[in-house]
Amino acid sequence: MDYQKILDEIAIEIAALPNDGEVANYIPELAKANPDKFGMHLTTVRNEHFAVGDAEDKFSIQSISKVFSLAMAFSLMGEKLWKRVGVEPSGNPFNSIVQLEYENGIPRNPFVNAGALVVVDVLLSELQNPEEDLFAFVRSLTGSTDITYNAKVAQSEKETGYLNSAFVNMMKAKGNIVNDTEEILDFYYKQCSIEMNCRELASAFLHFGENGLAYSHAGFSLTKSQVKRLNALMLSCGFYDESGQFAFKVGLAGKSGVGGGIAAVFPEEFAVAVWSPKLNKKGNSVRAFNSLELLTTKTESSIF
Amino acid sequence: MDYQKILDEIAIEIAALPNDGEVANYIPELAKANPDKFGMHLTTVRNEHFAVGDAEDKFSIQSISKVFSLAMAFSLMGEKLWKRVGVEPSGNPFNSIVQLEYENGIPRNPFVNAGALVVVDVLLSELQNPEEDLFAFVRSLTGSTDITYNAKVAQSEKETGYLNSAFVNMMKAKGNIVNDTEEILDFYYKQCSIEMNCRELASAFLHFGENGLAYSHAGFSLTKSQVKRLNALMLSCGFYDESGQFAFKVGLAGKSGVGGGIAAVFPEEFAVAVWSPKLNKKGNSVRAFNSLELLTTKTESSIF
Amino acid sequence: MDYQKILDEIAIEIAALPNDGEVANYIPELAKANPDKFGMHLTTVRNEHFAVGDAEDKFSIQSISKVFSLAMAFSLMGEKLWKRVGVEPSGNPFNSIVQLEYENGIPRNPFVNAGALVVVDVLLSELQNPEEDLFAFVRSLTGSTDITYNAKVAQSEKETGYLNSAFVNMMKAKGNIVNDTEEILDFYYKQCSIEMNCRELASAFLHFGENGLAYSHAGFSLTKSQVKRLNALMLSCGFYDESGQFAFKVGLAGKSGVGGGIAAVFPEEFAVAVWSPKLNKKGNSVRAFNSLELLTTKTESSIF
Amino acid sequence: MDYQKILDEIAIEIAALPNDGEVANYIPELAKANPDKFGMHLTTVRNEHFAVGDAEDKFSIQSISKVFSLAMAFSLMGEKLWKRVGVEPSGNPFNSIVQLEYENGIPRNPFVNAGALVVVDVLLSELQNPEEDLFAFVRSLTGSTDITYNAKVAQSEKETGYLNSAFVNMMKAKGNIVNDTEEILDFYYKQCSIEMNCRELASAFLHFGENGLAYSHAGFSLTKSQVKRLNALMLSCGFYDESGQFAFKVGLAGKSGVGGGIAAVFPEEFAVAVWSPKLNKKGNSVRAFNSLELLTTKTESSIF
């Protein structure tokens, strides 16, 4: 398969369409992103690399980071983790508190904000140096030693993150949060404001499409079966309340972030990351979503 | 009307029934209340006083305090207040966050916790010394200069008040909170942990049954029409999601608190306060509710 | 009190305001109502009568009829009725099915559509000739022997009443409906399409403001205490999700209908009916609501 | 892969476990099913067949039939179909009406009951002889000419199907149902009471795992891309509010029915059907679910 040719075609087809959507504006620091940026990087299990556009530009990975913290918590806790957070699609936007109230503070899945906050709570309980471990883990997965978070973005998110405060307090009220709520939020905002480029993100996700995290990354490892389960979660729940659409139109396991990135996996063949800052109303990057639909159409690489 | 005879009868009839319900246990300091306490005090517009039982014992007035802070905010803001908080029954428990999310952070009424937090937000914005003013106001209403709050109870509530943190953060996220969330919560817990006895509470509420706060109390005054509106709110919304039951069975405007108190008004005739710590599942004192049903049956004093 | 002068003033003040709102259009036959009609009739416990405008025109009483069928069911069942239907405000529009699903098919109160359908179910179970009895009852209450329903309106409602079919089937699924769903709906639509004028409606409601239905009407009677409870229900729940507003601004027990009528009671003094077809977004007549606010302001007749 | 050996192992392992769950009892005719029945049939794209247990017994396929009617409607309408019904997981039980009310009568997906009723509405509008066409289609897919429905079961469902009546009426009220509600329900109950055995079901589903319905079945055909989309829908939404669990633990596209059957597809390799009547609380067959988890573990055939 000539992936480079396909990526080049996709970039041309995408550029020919109007650049619809809006840059995330509820986090002031993110609102400064250049709306015309577009990058895509695909890496195969044979260690081939293909890229187009701004694939070397760093951007805020936001909710894509939830996959990394979840991998760590799953590695630490095994199946016990699912007593604290579910594996079902929420059927609601990522920022809905309704289900949390009705379902005793157990979030539907680890990719809604509330679920990701529970995952952080687990990391804070289980690890001596959770922050250090997180960065060691993502550096090991990507092979880039300089990956870090953007302190300005983290601060910006903290200052406007009242909804996340509402979530973590609601779960604390229901008994599903152990650690101090402010510590959890601080960690969460650092995690969300990690910056990567498309190449790094694709490299990291390739581990979810290959043999599992079969060898240990910074001390964290998952079996092949556990990695398959992560993929199932990404497919069911990775795109807020547009997860069904992504499965339907793209047909890959993946995860989006409001920084405009999407990373996805076609098991035993490739991982891919796309970045374009403008989002649709569901919070997913318009061009990244469309690019991946083109990719799986052109390559016939849907998992179904 | 021989109110003393009627109060004595009520005390006997209530004592003959099993003391059902549970003392509020989600606030540890409140859980220490003696479950066998029972007091009742009625005062008329003719300045007569009648009492039975532990009517001189101080107890934590809790949500009954919402009537006082609301009276202050209504006095300060007039009808503009209702842009920040509604006047409709919530149809939900006092601690439900669902409507708040669906209705853009505007609480249904000032007696659900979220609504009372908005009222505090108004007081913090409008007053130089809101805490001082609150205590001056309740001291003026009751004629007791020593009324204060219980710092242990306030602290106990703060330590377990994650749900209220969730509310205030949700409303801040939706743009309906101006002040710092921690300052609002601190004030709110002080207000809730004010202690009064039945006599003081009845004396304070008599102002809502008489001519309005026609003369100024510590600088706060309401017209007769405004006081009628407060009474309408108490009738529609004063008893969490048991407000309909209270209107149906008792037929007075009133307000309950999880400390076991209920204060109520029969306009142009009397105000009454009852206290018994054990609560039903809706958070209202079982014996206080029953006592007031007996009172309006015996005196035929329903407003309907 | 010179009620005639007050009614004349109200008519002039109302006419000076723009005629806002919309005639109910979801029932085709009702959409034909003349939007400029306005009538008001007040009758006192001393059997005085005062009227202004189109007070002798018949109109479709719609949901106001729920008070009559409820009075019959309450007379037949006593307090047992409240096992089938609640007495709490719903906090939701009159046509919401959500609570019904969460609360096992027990409607919040008898004035939401679902509750009124349960009341009809009770009448069909308890009475040999429920339809005959209903008309005998309303004729006895009003003193008008010619009161009947409009078959065209009933038919029009039936043809568009899919939401009511949804309610009654949902409750049947939950076990709270005994009779055939089609029979219930047929009866319900006849009841809603009863036609009265303001004089007849005020005369009927005076029985709820006086001594109860102390003497039997067509075999149905209520104690004074039961009538007070009906009034409490009207105050808490009589105006869909604007009940709090009506208590707050008008301060009377009453009931509205989408035909544009409102009937209300000031206990031991008067009953009043107003009619103007244009409705606000909550389904209550704009001019009828405003007229009653003017009435209680001018007469200082709030129950609070 | 020695599928026969694997099926035999699964049957032994399943038989060693307690037979938990309950036979569907809300449909009286289904409640008569023998709880100890267990059958499994797997067929490959190479036209191999493997079976164990009661794989030749006919049972009521119930909601599995929704896949067949959906395939027909998708074939007829193409992408326009998704204006009438969504492709997102509901996050709610199959019998919840809440979302329907909030989302204007557009069901979340075609596998919740409301969505399947919309699909039937489409068939009734588009086809001259919808019933005939449905049976021709399933007979063509299975290669069995004698497939039909059980009239007793259909009747039993109709007599107790008040919830489905509520759904279809709610959607009619919201404008998303064209045909007569009774006709839709009649067709729906016939469709749900179709009877097949595991072999027939596996044969029918193989078409979703192979090349699409590339050649026409009784006049209905789907492209390979459309079949992939059906599979995505099955994975996201095929198991009521346990769809995430099924994706997570089994990792195949599939569909369950309250008759105790599950059919699933491993694209380009096999289709499989399992039947055991006892259901868990989510309405999925306990033993069928567990068997498929064993199957994908033993064969490493998850799509992820």
Side-chain angles (χ1 to χ4, degrees):
Chain A
M1 186 92 53
D2 187 346
Y3 287 118
Q4 188 59 51
K5 179 162 166 282
I6 289 167
L7 262 56
D8 292 340
E9 281 173 22
I10 291 171
I12 288 164
E13 291 176 38
I14 290 290
L17 296 169
N19 190 9
D20 290 333
E22 297 292 334
V23 174
N25 55 14
Y26 66 97
I27 304 169
E29 200 63 31
L30 283 187
K32 299 177 185 168
N34 178 345
D36 294 325
K37 288 287 183 176
F38 175 82
M40 191 166 185
H41 189 105
L42 184 150
T43 178
T44 70
V45 294
R46 298 169 297 279
N47 198 28
E48 303 157 306
H49 284 266
F50 308 94
V52 69
D54 307 309
E56 290 295 317
D57 284 30
K58 297 265 188 180
F59 61 90
S60 195
I61 67 169
Q62 293 294 318
S63 290
I64 303 174
S65 69
K66 293 171 181 172
V67 178
F68 303 130
S69 53
L70 174 61
M72 293 167 71
F74 196 13
S75 166
L76 289 164
M77 303 282 286
E79 300 299 321
K80 274 187 300 179
L81 180 61
W82 314 115
K83 289 181 184 163
R84 299 280 305 280
V85 57
V87 300
E88 292 298 327
S90 74
N92 276 316
F94 68 102
N95 54 2
S96 175
I97 205 167
V98 171
Q99 270 174 336
L100 215 48
E101 184 175 24
Y102 277 115
E103 296 175 2
N104 294 312
I106 308 294
R108 275 291 176 99
N109 65 66
F111 296 145
V112 292
N113 284 16
L117 290 162
V118 167
V119 166
V120 170
D121 191 45
V122 166
L123 297 184
L124 297 193
S125 292
E126 297 291 319
L127 298 171
Q128 298 279 15
N129 303 299
E131 195 176 319
E132 213 169 279
D133 286 346
L134 171 66
F135 288 103
F137 181 61
V138 292
R139 285 168 191 157
S140 172
L141 285 180
T142 56
S144 295
T145 57
D146 68 340
I147 286 174
T148 188
Y149 72 98
N150 181 321
K152 265 193 188 169
V153 173
Q155 183 60 23
S156 180
E157 297 199 47
K158 192 175 165 62
E159 279 163 14
T160 56
Y162 300 111
L163 213 48
N164 289 323
S165 296
F167 291 143
V168 75
N169 276 290
M170 170 62 84
M171 293 189 289
K172 185 109 184 173
K174 299 277 186 181
N176 195 25
I177 287 291
V178 176
N179 293 280
D180 180 73
T181 57
E182 289 303 307
E183 278 181 52
I184 291 168
L185 291 167
D186 281 342
F187 188 95
Y188 178 71
Y189 292 127
K190 282 181 191 165
Q191 163 197 313
C192 284
S193 58
I194 288 176
E195 294 184 334
M196 293 192 187
N197 59 35
C198 288
R199 178 177 42 81
E200 291 161 340
L201 210 41
S203 300
F205 266 66
L206 193 62
H207 298 288
F208 302 113
E210 229 175 346
N211 301 302
L213 309 180
Y215 49 100
S216 175
H217 287 270
F220 300 92
S221 57
L222 295 174
T223 65
K224 190 169 177 182
S225 159
Q226 285 178 312
V227 165
K228 281 175 185 293
R229 292 183 169 206
L230 278 195
N231 284 340
L233 269 169
M234 284 195 251
L235 190 99
S236 308
C237 320
F239 294 83
Y240 315 126
D241 55 347
E242 210 173 34
S243 299
Q245 279 288 352
F246 193 82
F248 190 74
K249 291 195 175 155
V250 178
L252 298 179
K255 184 75 201 77
S256 61
V258 292
I262 298 181
V265 164
F266 184 44
E268 291 169 57
E269 176 60 18
F270 66 70
V272 59
V274 200
W275 171 55
S276 166
K278 289 178 111 179
L279 311 178
N280 64 20
K281 294 205 168 141
K282 306 290 192 183
N284 296 313
S285 167
V286 176
R287 290 190 150 178
F289 193 124
N290 291 342
S291 299
L292 291 169
E293 189 177 355
L294 287 170
L295 177 68
T296 54
T297 303
K298 287 170 188 286
T299 59
E300 295 204 331
S301 47
S302 153
I303 60 175
F304 297 107
Chain B
M1 185 92 56
D2 187 347
Y3 286 119
Q4 188 58 53
K5 180 160 166 285
I6 289 167
L7 261 57
D8 291 341
E9 282 174 23
I10 291 170
I12 288 164
E13 290 176 38
I14 289 291
L17 297 168
N19 190 9
D20 290 334
E22 296 294 334
V23 173
N25 55 14
Y26 67 97
I27 305 170
E29 200 63 30
L30 284 188
K32 300 177 184 170
N34 178 345
D36 295 324
K37 289 287 183 176
F38 175 81
M40 191 166 186
H41 189 104
L42 183 152
T43 178
T44 70
V45 294
R46 296 169 299 278
N47 199 28
E48 301 158 308
H49 285 267
F50 310 93
V52 69
D54 307 309
E56 292 294 317
D57 284 31
K58 297 265 189 181
F59 61 91
S60 194
I61 67 169
Q62 293 294 317
S63 289
I64 304 174
S65 69
K66 293 171 180 172
V67 178
F68 303 130
S69 53
L70 173 62
M72 292 168 72
F74 197 11
S75 166
L76 289 164
M77 302 283 286
E79 299 299 322
K80 275 186 300 179
L81 180 60
W82 314 114
K83 289 181 184 162
R84 300 278 307 277
V85 57
V87 299
E88 292 298 326
S90 74
N92 276 316
F94 68 102
N95 54 3
S96 174
I97 205 166
V98 172
Q99 271 174 334
L100 215 49
E101 184 175 23
Y102 277 116
E103 296 175 2
N104 294 311
I106 308 294
R108 276 291 176 97
N109 66 64
F111 296 144
V112 291
N113 284 16
L117 290 162
V118 167
V119 166
V120 169
D121 191 45
V122 166
L123 297 184
L124 295 193
S125 292
E126 297 291 320
L127 298 172
Q128 298 280 15
N129 303 300
E131 195 176 321
E132 215 169 277
D133 286 346
L134 172 67
F135 288 104
F137 181 62
V138 293
R139 285 168 191 156
S140 173
L141 284 179
T142 56
S144 296
T145 57
D146 68 339
I147 285 174
T148 187
Y149 72 98
N150 182 321
K152 265 193 188 170
V153 172
Q155 183 60 24
S156 180
E157 297 199 47
K158 191 176 164 62
E159 280 163 13
T160 56
Y162 300 110
L163 213 47
N164 289 323
S165 296
F167 292 143
V168 76
N169 277 291
M170 171 61 85
M171 291 189 290
K172 185 108 183 175
K174 299 276 187 182
N176 195 25
I177 286 291
V178 177
N179 293 281
D180 180 73
T181 57
E182 288 304 306
E183 278 180 51
I184 291 168
L185 291 166
D186 281 341
F187 188 95
Y188 178 71
Y189 292 126
K190 281 180 190 167
Q191 163 198 313
C192 284
S193 59
I194 288 176
E195 294 185 334
M196 293 191 187
N197 59 35
C198 288
R199 177 177 43 78
E200 291 161 342
L201 210 42
S203 300
F205 265 66
L206 193 61
H207 299 287
F208 302 112
E210 229 176 346
N211 300 301
L213 309 180
Y215 50 99
S216 174
H217 287 271
F220 300 93
S221 58
L222 294 174
T223 64
K224 190 168 177 180
S225 159
Q226 285 179 311
V227 165
K228 281 175 184 295
R229 292 183 168 205
L230 277 196
N231 283 341
L233 269 170
M234 285 195 251
L235 191 100
S236 308
C237 320
F239 294 83
Y240 315 125
D241 57 346
E242 210 175 34
S243 298
Q245 279 287 352
F246 193 82
F248 190 75
K249 289 194 176 156
V250 177
L252 299 179
K255 184 76 202 79
S256 62
V258 293
I262 298 180
V265 164
F266 185 43
E268 290 169 59
E269 176 59 19
F270 66 69
V272 60
V274 201
W275 172 53
S276 166
K278 288 178 113 178
L279 310 178
N280 65 20
K281 293 202 168 145
K282 306 289 192 181
N284 296 311
S285 166
V286 177
R287 290 191 149 177
F289 193 125
N290 291 342
S291 298
L292 291 170
E293 189 178 355
L294 287 170
L295 177 68
T296 54
T297 303
K298 288 171 188 286
T299 59
E300 296 203 331
S301 48
S302 154
I303 60 174
F304 295 107
Chain C
M1 185 90 56
D2 187 347
Y3 285 118
Q4 187 60 51
K5 180 162 165 284
I6 289 168
L7 261 57
D8 292 341
E9 282 174 23
I10 291 170
I12 289 164
E13 290 177 39
I14 289 292
L17 296 169
N19 191 8
D20 290 334
E22 296 294 333
V23 173
N25 55 14
Y26 66 97
I27 305 170
E29 199 63 30
L30 284 186
K32 300 177 183 169
N34 178 345
D36 294 324
K37 288 287 181 176
F38 175 82
M40 189 167 187
H41 189 104
L42 184 151
T43 178
T44 70
V45 294
R46 295 169 300 279
N47 198 28
E48 302 158 308
H49 284 267
F50 309 93
V52 69
D54 307 309
E56 292 294 318
D57 285 29
K58 297 265 187 180
F59 60 92
S60 193
I61 67 169
Q62 294 292 317
S63 289
I64 304 175
S65 69
K66 294 170 180 172
V67 178
F68 303 130
S69 53
L70 174 62
M72 292 167 72
F74 197 11
S75 166
L76 289 163
M77 302 282 287
E79 301 298 322
K80 275 187 299 179
L81 179 61
W82 314 115
K83 288 182 185 163
R84 300 278 307 278
V85 56
V87 299
E88 292 298 326
S90 74
N92 276 317
F94 67 103
N95 54 2
S96 175
I97 205 166
V98 172
Q99 271 174 335
L100 215 49
E101 183 175 23
Y102 277 116
E103 296 174 2
N104 293 313
I106 307 294
R108 275 294 175 95
N109 65 64
F111 295 145
V112 292
N113 284 16
L117 290 162
V118 167
V119 166
V120 170
D121 191 45
V122 167
L123 298 184
L124 296 194
S125 293
E126 297 291 320
L127 298 172
Q128 299 279 16
N129 303 299
E131 195 176 320
E132 213 169 277
D133 286 347
L134 171 66
F135 287 104
F137 181 62
V138 292
R139 286 168 190 157
S140 173
L141 284 178
T142 55
S144 296
T145 56
D146 67 339
I147 286 175
T148 188
Y149 72 98
N150 182 321
K152 267 193 187 168
V153 172
Q155 183 61 22
S156 181
E157 298 199 46
K158 192 175 164 62
E159 279 164 13
T160 57
Y162 301 111
L163 214 47
N164 289 323
S165 296
F167 291 143
V168 75
N169 276 292
M170 170 63 83
M171 292 190 288
K172 185 107 183 176
K174 300 276 186 180
N176 195 25
I177 287 291
V178 176
N179 293 280
D180 179 72
T181 56
E182 290 303 307
E183 279 181 49
I184 291 169
L185 291 167
D186 281 341
F187 188 95
Y188 177 71
Y189 292 127
K190 281 180 190 167
Q191 163 197 313
C192 283
S193 58
I194 288 176
E195 295 186 332
M196 294 192 186
N197 59 35
C198 287
R199 177 176 43 79
E200 290 161 341
L201 210 42
S203 300
F205 267 65
L206 193 62
H207 298 289
F208 301 112
E210 227 176 349
N211 300 302
L213 309 180
Y215 50 100
S216 175
H217 288 270
F220 300 93
S221 58
L222 294 173
T223 65
K224 190 168 178 180
S225 160
Q226 285 179 311
V227 165
K228 281 175 185 294
R229 292 182 169 206
L230 277 196
N231 284 341
L233 268 170
M234 283 195 252
L235 191 98
S236 308
C237 319
F239 295 83
Y240 314 127
D241 57 346
E242 210 174 33
S243 298
Q245 279 288 352
F246 193 82
F248 190 74
K249 290 195 174 155
V250 177
L252 299 178
K255 185 75 202 78
S256 62
V258 293
I262 298 180
V265 164
F266 185 43
E268 290 169 58
E269 177 58 19
F270 67 69
V272 60
V274 201
W275 172 54
S276 165
K278 288 179 112 178
L279 311 178
N280 65 20
K281 294 203 169 143
K282 305 291 191 181
N284 296 311
S285 166
V286 177
R287 291 190 149 177
F289 194 124
N290 291 342
S291 298
L292 291 170
E293 189 178 354
L294 286 170
L295 177 69
T296 55
T297 303
K298 286 170 188 287
T299 58
E300 294 203 333
S301 47
S302 154
I303 61 175
F304 296 107
Chain D
M1 186 92 53
D2 188 348
Y3 286 118
Q4 188 60 51
K5 180 163 165 282
I6 290 167
L7 262 56
D8 291 340
E9 281 174 23
I10 290 170
I12 289 163
E13 291 175 39
I14 290 290
L17 297 168
N19 191 8
D20 289 333
E22 297 293 333
V23 173
N25 55 14
Y26 66 97
I27 304 170
E29 199 63 30
L30 284 187
K32 299 176 184 169
N34 178 346
D36 294 325
K37 288 287 182 177
F38 174 83
M40 190 164 185
H41 189 104
L42 184 150
T43 178
T44 70
V45 294
R46 296 170 297 280
N47 198 27
E48 301 158 308
H49 285 266
F50 308 94
V52 69
D54 307 310
E56 291 294 318
D57 285 30
K58 298 265 188 180
F59 61 91
S60 194
I61 67 168
Q62 294 292 319
S63 290
I64 303 174
S65 69
K66 293 171 181 172
V67 178
F68 303 130
S69 52
L70 174 62
M72 292 167 72
F74 196 12
S75 166
L76 289 164
M77 303 282 286
E79 300 300 322
K80 275 186 299 178
L81 180 62
W82 315 114
K83 289 181 184 162
R84 301 278 307 278
V85 57
V87 300
E88 293 298 325
S90 75
N92 276 317
F94 67 103
N95 54 3
S96 174
I97 205 166
V98 172
Q99 271 174 335
L100 214 49
E101 184 176 22
Y102 276 116
E103 296 175 3
N104 293 313
I106 308 294
R108 275 294 176 96
N109 66 64
F111 296 144
V112 292
N113 284 16
L117 290 163
V118 167
V119 167
V120 170
D121 191 44
V122 167
L123 297 184
L124 296 194
S125 293
E126 298 291 320
L127 298 172
Q128 299 279 16
N129 303 300
E131 196 175 320
E132 214 169 278
D133 286 345
L134 171 67
F135 288 104
F137 182 62
V138 293
R139 286 168 190 156
S140 173
L141 285 179
T142 55
S144 296
T145 56
D146 68 338
I147 286 174
T148 189
Y149 72 99
N150 182 321
K152 265 194 190 170
V153 172
Q155 183 60 22
S156 181
E157 298 200 46
K158 192 175 165 62
E159 279 163 14
T160 57
Y162 300 110
L163 214 47
N164 290 323
S165 296
F167 291 143
V168 76
N169 277 291
M170 170 63 83
M171 293 190 289
K172 184 109 183 175
K174 299 276 187 182
N176 195 26
I177 286 291
V178 176
N179 292 282
D180 180 72
T181 57
E182 289 303 307
E183 279 180 50
I184 291 168
L185 292 167
D186 280 341
F187 188 95
Y188 178 71
Y189 292 127
K190 281 180 191 166
Q191 164 196 313
C192 284
S193 58
I194 288 175
E195 293 185 334
M196 293 192 186
N197 59 34
C198 289
R199 178 176 44 79
E200 290 160 342
L201 211 40
S203 300
F205 267 65
L206 193 61
H207 298 288
F208 302 112
E210 227 174 348
N211 300 301
L213 308 180
Y215 49 99
S216 176
H217 287 271
F220 301 93
S221 58
L222 295 174
T223 65
K224 190 169 177 182
S225 160
Q226 285 178 311
V227 165
K228 281 175 184 295
R229 292 182 169 206
L230 278 196
N231 284 341
L233 269 169
M234 283 195 252
L235 191 99
S236 309
C237 320
F239 294 82
Y240 315 125
D241 55 345
E242 210 174 33
S243 299
Q245 279 288 351
F246 192 82
F248 190 75
K249 291 195 174 155
V250 177
L252 298 179
K255 186 73 202 78
S256 62
V258 294
I262 298 181
V265 164
F266 184 43
E268 291 167 58
E269 176 59 19
F270 66 69
V272 59
V274 201
W275 171 53
S276 166
K278 288 178 112 179
L279 311 178
N280 65 20
K281 294 205 170 141
K282 306 289 191 181
N284 295 313
S285 166
V286 177
R287 290 190 150 178
F289 194 124
N290 291 341
S291 298
L292 291 171
E293 189 178 354
L294 286 170
L295 176 68
T296 55
T297 303
K298 287 170 188 288
T299 59
E300 295 203 332
S301 48
S302 155
I303 61 173
F304 297 107

